[in-house]
Amino acid sequence: MESHEYYLSRALTLALESYSEGGCPIGAVLVDNQTGDILGAGHNGLVQEQNPILHGEMAALRAAGRMPNRHHTTMYTTLQPCFMCTGAIVQFGIPRVVIGDATNASDEETLHFMRARGIEVIVMDPSLSEAARACIDLAARFRNGNPAQWQEDWGGGPNPELVPREPSGKAGLRPAKGER
């Protein structure tokens, strides 16, 4: 089986492809942990497909297609997953995520969310990984050169109308009729 560096480099190639097409430079590959085969690969498709939910991780999952489960896979991604992609990783029970760039993400909340659910999260060290260094540099270049598109890809930024509230009842849900 190949190394983390190898698979992250494959994801980086996809991110560079998206960047060359005018899209957000985020690439991902889903790898079978037992065989080392790449099951799915893709890059962000906001610009190319006019699809705001086709992030690199989602594109890799889409390319992998149907399978009974993804319990023996690793998701390699050039940028720390957003909450949408993190939700998909958790939903499908992907046990490991390898990240090239956590520097250009907004915060570490998604990393904590995945780890709290038993997912092994590996953030590659840019001082030791050429691919991680390149992921960070590429995202920074795009973010600085295309701030509006970067913000659009991350959902448009915080909605000032949304105010965090404390949950009430079980998991923040109101009791069903007759359960009071």
Side-chain angles (χ1 to χ4, degrees), residues 27-58:
V29 295
L30 184 67
V31 175
D32 184 306
N33 293 340
Q34 296 166 333
T35 66
D37 293 340
I38 293 177
L39 303 172
H43 61 67
N44 189 292
L46 174 66
V47 169
Q48 299 88 331
E49 294 189 33
Q50 303 296 301
N51 188 336
I53 62 170
L54 192 57
H55 289 186
E57 300 90 340
M58 299 301 228

Side-chain angles (χ1 to χ4, degrees), residues 27-163:
V29 295
L30 184 67
V31 175
D32 184 306
N33 293 340
Q34 296 166 333
T35 66
D37 293 340
I38 293 177
L39 303 172
H43 61 67
N44 189 292
L46 174 66
V47 169
Q48 299 88 331
E49 294 189 33
Q50 303 296 301
N51 188 336
I53 62 170
L54 192 57
H55 289 186
E57 300 90 340
M58 299 301 228
L61 287 168
R62 180 175 79 168
R66 291 180 64 180
M67 59 185 71
N69 65 62
R70 292 148 190 85
H71 298 169
H72 302 285
T73 64
T74 297
M75 178 68 75
Y76 289 84
T77 180
T78 59
L79 183 66
Q80 176 182 324
C82 68
F83 258 109
M84 176 181 65
C85 296
T86 295
I89 289 164
V90 170
Q91 176 72 26
F92 289 117
I94 297 170
R96 183 185 310 129
V97 178
V98 177
I99 300 166
D101 174 10
T103 303
N104 287 293
S106 57
D107 60 37
E108 293 186 356
E109 199 170 3
T110 60
L111 302 179
H112 298 301
F113 187 83
M114 288 186 285
R115 287 179 176 137
R117 281 144 187 86
I119 296 170
E120 179 185 7
V121 177
I122 299 169
V123 178
M124 298 290 281
D125 182 343
S127 69
L128 302 173
S129 167
E130 193 174 312
R133 253 189 328 277
C135 290
I136 293 167
D137 292 345
L138 179 61
R141 186 173 3 150
F142 183 82
R143 184 179 184 177
N144 293 329
N146 302 283
Q149 189 175 332
W150 179 266
Q151 189 73 359
E152 178 186 0
D153 188 62
W154 281 84
N159 181 341
E161 302 292 319
L162 298 178
V163 179

